């Protein structure tokens, strides 16, 4: 056998069974006697038998291929989720087919048909925001897991970041630094992420018995809005000593405008962002304390649960995963730069 790859025929011959019985034993089928299965597995181990992917697929009825369908054409949130999922699929020796619907429902249906024609074993659908999205699972012959953007159907399997808990964590960090005049600047209210982050802020302030400084200011997710909001806040609430921003883009613009008006960050005003988008969070001066949604972990977890769903062990519901606070210079205690 030296230099020659062992085949299932070799395994069956060494174990003294038919090829069909060897196949069943190697695939864990229940209609094989325990003693026979042990003999086949021992023969496979002795021969260092490793079935190739095509053979495994023919034996198990699976193609070992999964589809990743994204709507995040910008990629800022979708790409980390996809990388995490791909890590898990690689570890599970699964091939991945990636399609980008670019937020277009017709394009999405086209990609779904194309993926199903390739006989994928399952799908991960990655949203462009945490707003619930229409389910695509109905009438599909394969399991689907939703990542970042949850399905509207509670019987589907969805994974999202815990925006409420993460916002509370960010505000508790500011409170622990002794900040008590905390303002909030965020994105458009039609985004669930903006509403959830405001909810987390309110919970943390209520638990601490602290009143929010001014009203929540909502605008677009941009540095320009962050600058504009800073000008409005500093005029209306000159005594603020901290601000929790709903994104790093908003926080970067806010810091820029605050510094132009002669206020020092973090000495006079501590600033926390959200997303840990390192293009901004590490390059802003001072570098931003921010929430990292652990999107690679979220993608990896979604992939692991797709494996479970393929094996008939689906975990329905919307599952929230914890985020992480990354502390940098924008929230150093007063007097420390």
């Amino acid at each position: 056998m030296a230099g020659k790859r062992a085949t299932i025929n070799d395994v069956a011959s060494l174990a003294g069974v038919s090829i069909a019985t060897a196949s069943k034993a190697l695939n864990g089928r229940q209609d094989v006697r325990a003693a026979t299965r042990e003999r086949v597995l021992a023969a496979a181990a002795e021969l260092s038998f490793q079935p190739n992917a095509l053979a495994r697929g023919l034996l198990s009825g699976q193609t070992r291929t999964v589809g990743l369908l994204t709507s995040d054409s910008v990629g800022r949130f979708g790409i980390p989720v996809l990388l995490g999922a791909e890590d898990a699929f690689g570890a599970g020796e699964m091939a991945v087919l990636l399609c980008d619907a670019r937020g277009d429902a017709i394009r999405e249906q086209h990609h779904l048909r194309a993926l199903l024609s390739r006989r994928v074993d399952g799908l991960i659908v990655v949203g462009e925001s945490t707003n619930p999205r229409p389910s695509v699972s109905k009438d599909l012959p394969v399991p689907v897991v939703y990542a970042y953007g949850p399905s509207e159907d509670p019987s589907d399997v969805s994974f999202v970041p815990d925006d409420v808990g993460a916002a509370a964590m960010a505000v508790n960090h500011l409170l622990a630094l002794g900040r008590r005049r905390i303002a909030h600047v965020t994105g458009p209210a039609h985004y669930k992420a903006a509403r959830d982050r405001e909810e987390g802020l309110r919970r943390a302030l209520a638990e601490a018995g602290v009143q929010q400084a001014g009203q929540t200011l909502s605008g677009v997710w941009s540095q320009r809005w962050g600058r504009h909001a800073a000008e409005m806040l500093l005029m209306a609430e000159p005594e603020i000593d901290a601000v929790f921003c709903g994104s790093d883009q908003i926080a970067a613009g806010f810091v820029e405008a605050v510094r132009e008006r002669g206020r020092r960050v973090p000495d006079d005003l501590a600033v926390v962002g959200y997303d840990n988008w390192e293009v901004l969070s590490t390059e802003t001066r001072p570098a931003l304390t921010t929430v990292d949604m652990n999107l690679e972990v979220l993608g990896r977890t979604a992939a692991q649960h797709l494996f479970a769903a393929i094996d008939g062990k689906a975990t329905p519901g919307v599952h929230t995963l914890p985020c992480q606070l990354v502390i940098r210079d924008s929230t150093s205690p007063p007097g420390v730069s």
Side-chain angles (χ1 to χ4, degrees):
M1 295 295 296
K4 183 185 170 191
R5 187 186 181 105
T7 67
I8 195 164
N9 302 46
D10 301 320
V11 173
S13 177
L14 183 60
V17 299
S18 69
I19 291 172
T21 299
S23 296
K24 291 176 184 177
L26 289 167
N27 281 280
R29 294 268 293 275
Q30 297 303 311
D31 53 346
V32 180
R33 287 189 307 168
T36 303
R37 179 181 293 108
E38 286 175 18
R39 205 160 69 247
V40 170
L41 293 176
E46 183 178 332
L47 296 169
S48 301
F49 172 69
Q50 193 118 37
N52 62 38
L54 177 59
R56 279 201 303 271
L58 291 170
L59 293 170
S60 66
Q62 295 180 354
T63 61
R64 309 292 294 172
T65 304
V66 291
L68 285 174
L69 180 61
T70 180
S71 292
D72 182 16
S73 52
V74 176
R76 184 148 58 91
F77 303 117
I79 286 175
V81 175
L82 296 171
L83 287 173
E86 210 274 333
D87 277 350
F89 290 137
E93 298 184 346
M94 301 283 273
V96 181
L97 298 174
L98 173 63
C99 298
D100 182 4
R102 303 177 199 173
D104 184 319
I106 295 173
R107 188 186 293 266
E108 182 175 90
Q109 286 301 315
H110 165 74
H111 285 318
L112 281 171
R113 288 192 296 271
L115 289 167
L116 291 174
S117 74
R118 301 289 183 92
R119 296 183 57 234
V120 293
D121 296 328
L123 293 167
I124 288 185
V125 176
V126 182
E128 59 186 328
S129 77
T130 59
N131 289 2
R133 51 147 297 141
S135 174
V136 299
S137 309
K138 192 169 182 283
D139 300 327
L140 286 189
V142 296
V144 181
V145 172
Y146 299 81
Y148 193 64
S151 167
E152 292 173 347
D153 187 341
S155 65
D156 286 335
V157 183
S158 301
F159 288 88
V160 297
D162 181 7
D163 278 326
V164 175
M169 177 170 55
V171 174
N172 282 327
H173 169 65
L174 293 170
L175 291 166
L177 295 173
R179 309 294 172 135
R180 291 295 179 271
R181 300 284 298 154
I182 302 173
H184 185 41
V185 180
T186 193
H190 65 266
Y191 277 89
K192 188 173 187 297
R195 299 193 302 274
D196 285 348
R197 291 164 197 178
E198 183 178 11
E199 173 65 18
L201 166 108
R202 288 183 170 167
R203 284 188 193 179
L205 291 178
E207 285 175 14
V210 172
Q211 184 119 12
Q212 181 178 340
Q215 297 295 309
T216 295
L217 298 181
S218 300
V220 295
W221 304 106
S222 71
Q223 286 174 260
R224 177 179 293 181
W225 164 237
R227 288 193 294 270
H228 185 48
E231 290 165 5
M232 290 194 296
L233 256 181
L234 291 177
M235 285 176 64
E237 304 286 340
E239 300 305 309
I240 60 170
D241 59 11
V243 63
F244 169 47
C245 295
S247 77
D248 287 344
Q249 285 175 292
I250 293 170
F254 194 96
V255 167
E256 186 182 322
V258 162
R259 289 174 62 190
E260 284 174 359
R261 286 176 163 263
R263 302 283 290 273
R264 297 170 301 165
V265 176
D267 301 67
D268 302 324
L269 192 56
V271 179
V272 176
Y274 207 103
D275 300 333
N276 196 26
W277 191 23
E278 292 192 347
V279 169
L280 279 176
S281 60
T282 59
E283 297 302 319
T284 301
R285 288 293 172 264
L288 287 174
T289 292
T290 183
V291 171
D292 191 316
M293 291 183 284
N294 292 331
L295 293 180
E296 285 198 32
V297 173
L298 190 144
R300 197 154 52 243
T301 304
Q304 289 160 350
H305 281 257
L306 182 61
F307 288 145
I310 290 169
D311 288 337
K313 302 168 188 167
T315 51
V318 178
H319 307 275
T320 56
L321 297 184
C323 303
Q324 173 186 2
L325 186 67
V326 180
I327 299 173
R328 297 195 180 97
D329 296 341
S330 67
T331 60
S332 299
V336 178
S337 58

